[in-house]
Amino acid sequence: MTNIVELKVGLHCEECIKKILKAIKKIEEIETYNVDTQLNKVTVTGNVTEEKVIRVIHKIGKTASSWDDRQQENSMSAGYNM
């Protein structure tokens, strides 16, 4: 079963990106992965869960959260007027 996992990840420097890519590549049953440095977004497809990818990224000391959470925060703040 192919899942698409999209995460908000702190991509601070070239070294961070290398560590994250190395960790992601070790996950079994991934098909593709992409790192968007402009958006600080990591996308992984394959037989993986969001929890598994987050756990792998946390293991190397980096933060990661669901991309959906980020989108919800933006839409809520965009709709709030004083």
Side-chain angles (χ1 to χ4, degrees):
M1 179 179 180
T2 299
N3 296 320
I4 299 172
V5 176
E6 296 178 315
L7 301 174
K8 169 76 175 162
V9 180
L11 304 170
H12 305 291
C13 64
E14 211 45 52
E15 207 52 42
C16 291
I17 296 166
K18 286 179 185 176
K19 279 185 174 181
I20 290 167
L21 287 174
K22 185 176 179 181
I24 289 171
K25 288 177 187 178
K26 291 181 180 178
I27 300 172
E28 292 181 24
E29 299 189 54
I30 63 167
E31 295 172 9
T32 64
Y33 56 88
N34 183 54
V35 175
D36 186 326
T37 55
Q38 295 288 321
L39 296 174
N40 285 329
K41 182 178 183 179
V42 172
T43 305
V44 179
T45 62
N47 188 18
V48 294
T49 63
E50 185 174 275
E51 294 78 20
K52 183 173 187 168
V53 180
I54 289 174
R55 201 171 333 129
V56 166
I57 293 173
H58 283 182
K59 263 188 183 175
I60 60 168
K62 303 298 176 190
T63 60
S65 59
S66 174
W67 187 257
D68 290 338
D69 291 346
R70 169 128 171 112
Q71 294 302 91
Q72 288 172 359
E73 286 173 15
N74 287 343
S75 64
M76 287 191 311
S77 63
Y80 181 74
N81 293 318
M82 289 185 95

